Amino acid sequence: MSKELQELRNQTHRTEDQLVAGSSSTSESRSPASQDEGVDDFELTSFTVSLAGVVLDSSTATEAFMVFAEYMRPRLPVVASLSAQAAYENQPFLFWTVVTIVLCRLPEAENIALFQLLRAPYERLVQETVTDAPLPLYKVQALLLLCNWPLPTDKQWKEPSWLYCGVAIQAARYLSLDRQQTIPSLRVIGVTSGSIRSRINTWLSCFSVSTSLSLHLGLPCPIESELDFAAIHGFLKRQTVPPAFAIEVRIQLVVAKFTALLNHELADGTSSSFLRLFDTELDAIKNEILPDEETKSIVEYAILDAKIHIYTLVITKSPANSSSRQILLRTARDIALRIVDIGTRAIRTNPENTTLIRREKCQPKDRHRCLGFSTIFLLKFFIRQSSDSPEERQLVANHVAMAQTLCRACTMDPKDEFSRIVSVFEALGRDNPGEEDKTKLVLNHRMGVSLMFDAVNTAGKIRGKPVEVEEGESGTVDQTTTETAQDHGDMTSQVDGNPEFLKNFWSDPYTSLLQFDPTSLEGDFPSTW
């Protein structure tokens, strides 16, 4: 096996060298830094800006661009220097994407109100954009930003990032961003080629966003060919992105390669061998000399994120009584504890600090997906494990409380995503499993999402009224629950018998979590809850 992997690496390196050597055009030979020279200019010449009749003060848009440049762009350097005025006039989709993804994350009441006004016209703009082929480079960049920082949704399965990501990838391939050679700006193609630096950074962002999404949604990586991997290695050699992001891309390369292998049915011993190779490659990246503590933290979190998802993939495919599964569970527990520790470090000691909340909410959504997944992993497998010592159970409970503190601090509405995940934590934490095997998942083919689906399913069982899924007449899936008339009494009086409201409200599986009042964990963990 080692010999085969070494041959694969040698083939990859040879392909990289051929691709780099094949880049002979004049534009390719110039330094990437000369392609995107400039500084940010976030000032707008007019007092207001507007989208479909919704008017914003220019100062609000300027602040949004400043927040984007400080918190978001370093995490996904898909765009270089920005001129707010030029973007507003010539690249409106990019302009309003930056403004909208920032406003929906700022905790101040006035920003929340502005986002509510902007949401409908912006979503119409998105719908018009994704069907307006061919997409120029700046629209691909805006879609990637929207995938990394999606708008809030009332149900997670409505979140369209995976679809937008697919559009962005195919539009990028149409622009030949996935290859070293630059296409000429021909009328027959319909779009300009863009600068070398922008093209490289956009394709690296395509790969990073799509691989991260696939990991957190439990879906196959959309960019996974050896030719693509070789091109990405070649792009990284040009050093056009910050060191932290370059290392994150390298981590995603490891994830993409091993996910395809581990998704197949493998014997127990074979899975262990692949996991050792996986750990070796990631640990080699972790042990590199990094420029600062913030970069070290970002890299460590990305490595832990990859490990816990890949470990969970193997755990869900392993027999429940196998010794290797038990070892993996303990190892994954330590990883989950470390993820929670890093992910909540900045905010847990000062959860009311507005600046810290701003910074936390401007983190990529996949970072919070990882935190939620790790917390559910701890709740699922360890919060009620009788084999654990009281000290170990208390340690797990403390880390669950850390995650709850962060989510509550970031909650802006009782029904938003952070509030809903807290409800899931509470329901799972208070679960009394009885004779149920808590190590067994209802689903085992969607990696991390298997745990998420299982968590909602378990919460329904706790209430004694599991959510049933029925195929609707229109081809969509309707969510229904079997509620009794007395369960609805108080709500009916509050909404004056509005049947449409009741139908939508009780159809939300997360709502079912809020109606359960099981035995509390306070007696078991008095110092935590």
Side-chain angles (χ1 to χ4, degrees):
M1 182 184 301
S2 299
K3 182 179 179 181
E4 293 173 352
L5 286 172
Q6 186 60 44
E7 289 179 357
L8 181 61
R9 291 193 185 98
N10 292 338
Q11 291 175 5
T12 300
H13 293 318
R14 285 197 296 271
T15 309
E16 291 172 23
D17 295 338
Q18 292 169 2
L19 284 171
V20 174
S23 308
S24 57
S25 67
T26 303
S27 60
E28 286 280 326
S29 64
R30 293 198 298 264
S31 169
S34 67
Q35 303 296 321
D36 288 70
E37 291 181 353
V39 294
D40 290 325
D41 181 8
F42 300 148
E43 295 299 323
L44 291 156
T45 57
S46 58
F47 291 109
T48 60
V49 291
S50 63
L51 175 65
V54 178
V55 179
L56 271 69
D57 289 339
S58 295
S59 59
T60 301
T62 297
E63 182 189 9
F65 270 80
M66 293 173 66
V67 171
F68 170 78
E70 182 178 1
Y71 297 140
M72 295 177 167
R73 186 170 58 186
R75 299 306 310 274
L76 189 71
V78 68
V79 292
S81 58
L82 278 170
S83 166
Q85 184 64 36
Y88 180 61
E89 294 175 354
N90 305 316
Q91 301 175 344
F93 183 49
L94 178 60
F95 176 88
W96 287 110
T97 296
V98 170
V99 171
T100 306
I101 65 175
V102 170
L103 283 181
C104 74
R105 285 167 170 79
L106 298 184
E108 295 81 11
E110 60 272 19
N111 291 318
I112 298 172
L114 286 174
F115 166 68
Q116 295 299 334
L117 292 174
L118 265 180
R119 178 164 194 158
Y122 175 73
E123 288 180 337
R124 287 195 296 271
L125 179 62
V126 175
Q127 293 166 6
E128 295 168 1
T129 297
V130 297
T131 57
D132 185 21
L135 298 187
L137 187 62
Y138 83 88
K139 290 185 178 180
V140 176
Q141 294 168 338
L143 278 176
L144 292 172
L145 293 175
L146 185 58
C147 292
N148 222 36
W149 290 278
L151 306 187
T153 57
D154 59 346
K155 298 178 180 66
Q156 282 304 299
W157 46 265
K158 287 185 176 181
E159 214 260 81
S161 293
W162 183 250
L163 302 181
Y164 294 158
C165 188
V167 173
I169 290 172
Q170 297 309 319
R173 289 195 187 277
Y174 184 83
L175 290 166
S176 297
L177 302 189
D178 55 335
R179 298 294 177 260
Q180 292 272 353
Q181 291 79 10
T182 302
I183 61 171
S185 300
L186 298 177
R187 182 176 295 275
V188 69
I189 296 175
V191 286
T192 57
S193 61
S195 70
I196 301 299
R197 189 184 189 92
S198 294
R199 291 169 59 83
I200 290 175
N201 291 3
T202 302
W203 183 245
L204 292 178
S205 297
C206 272
F207 174 72
S208 177
V209 169
S210 64
T211 306
S212 181
L213 270 176
S214 69
L215 187 69
H216 290 93
L217 298 179
L219 297 169
C221 300
I223 301 175
E224 59 174 355
S225 74
E226 287 302 323
L227 188 59
D228 285 326
F229 293 161
I232 290 167
H233 278 294
F235 289 156
L236 288 174
K237 290 180 179 179
R238 291 173 170 266
Q239 300 181 354
T240 61
V241 293
F245 183 72
I247 295 176
E248 285 187 279
V249 171
R250 290 170 55 196
I251 293 169
Q252 300 293 9
L253 280 168
V254 177
V255 169
K257 292 176 183 178
F258 279 88
T259 300
L261 294 172
L262 291 170
N263 262 322
H264 294 85
E265 294 296 331
L266 299 174
D268 192 37
T270 308
S271 297
S272 299
S273 299
F274 275 115
L275 277 182
R276 284 195 294 271
L277 291 170
F278 176 74
D279 284 341
T280 299
E281 295 217 15
L282 290 182
D283 290 341
I285 295 174
K286 181 181 177 181
N287 293 332
E288 293 180 6
I289 299 176
L290 301 174
D292 53 64
E293 289 301 320
E294 184 176 3
T295 301
K296 290 179 182 178
S297 177
I298 291 172
V299 169
E300 182 182 3
Y301 197 91
I303 289 174
L304 294 172
D305 187 6
K307 283 189 175 184
I308 194 166
H309 279 87
I310 297 298
Y311 280 21
T312 302
L313 172 60
V314 177
I315 288 169
T316 57
K317 289 178 174 290
S318 301
N321 58 351
S322 68
S323 58
S324 61
R325 186 179 193 269
Q326 299 306 315
I327 294 172
L328 274 180
L329 277 171
R330 308 296 290 187
T331 305
R333 182 201 64 177
D334 294 340
I335 292 172
L337 292 174
R338 181 61 178 162
I339 287 171
V340 174
D341 183 59
I342 296 174
T344 62
R345 181 185 298 160
I347 206 170
R348 64 176 178 249
T349 57
N350 195 359
E352 297 182 0
N353 186 303
T354 304
T355 301
L356 294 178
I357 293 173
R358 270 191 172 208
R359 184 181 182 89
E360 186 61 39
K361 288 184 68 65
C362 288
Q363 295 283 356
K365 183 171 180 176
D366 280 351
R367 181 180 174 92
H368 294 136
R369 284 190 176 110
C370 175
L371 179 65
F373 171 57
S374 301
T375 306
I376 285 177
F377 182 92
L378 294 173
L379 286 163
K380 175 69 180 177
F381 292 115
F382 293 100
I383 199 66
R384 292 291 194 180
Q385 285 285 319
S386 58
S387 60
D388 291 344
S389 67
E391 292 78 11
E392 289 177 313
R393 293 166 60 197
Q394 182 66 58
L395 179 65
V396 171
N398 288 342
H399 281 72
V400 171
M402 292 177 191
Q404 287 179 307
T405 298
L406 181 141
C407 292
R408 289 194 179 104
C410 293
T411 295
M412 296 190 296
D413 182 89
K415 295 181 182 179
D416 69 12
E417 292 166 325
F418 285 102
S419 179
R420 296 202 306 267
I421 194 63
V422 167
S423 299
V424 174
F425 293 163
E426 291 176 347
L428 294 178
R430 295 168 180 171
D431 176 22
N432 187 1
E435 299 299 322
E436 182 184 357
D437 180 8
K438 287 181 67 66
T439 64
K440 185 177 181 181
L441 297 177
V442 176
L443 299 174
N444 62 6
H445 67 288
R446 290 282 296 271
M447 293 191 293
V449 178
S450 297
L451 273 182
M452 293 294 186
F453 287 165
D454 187 81
V456 176
N457 182 75
T458 301
K461 287 183 177 180
I462 294 171
R463 297 181 64 244
K465 299 164 185 175
V467 175
E468 299 174 357
V469 180
E470 298 178 357
E471 190 72 20
E473 293 181 0
S474 62
T476 59
V477 175
D478 296 327
Q479 302 273 349
T480 61
T481 56
T482 55
E483 301 286 349
T484 59
Q486 56 265 36
D487 291 331
H488 292 174
D490 293 339
M491 182 57 66
T492 305
S493 63
Q494 293 180 33
V495 299
D496 297 326
N498 184 337
E500 189 61 28
F501 176 87
L502 286 176
K503 177 183 176 182
N504 293 334
F505 184 85
W506 293 110
S507 292
D508 188 346
Y510 287 102
T511 304
S512 64
L513 301 179
L514 303 176
Q515 299 300 312
F516 178 69
D517 186 21
T519 305
S520 174
L521 273 179
E522 292 178 2
D524 292 340
F525 306 116
S527 63
T528 301
W529 300 88

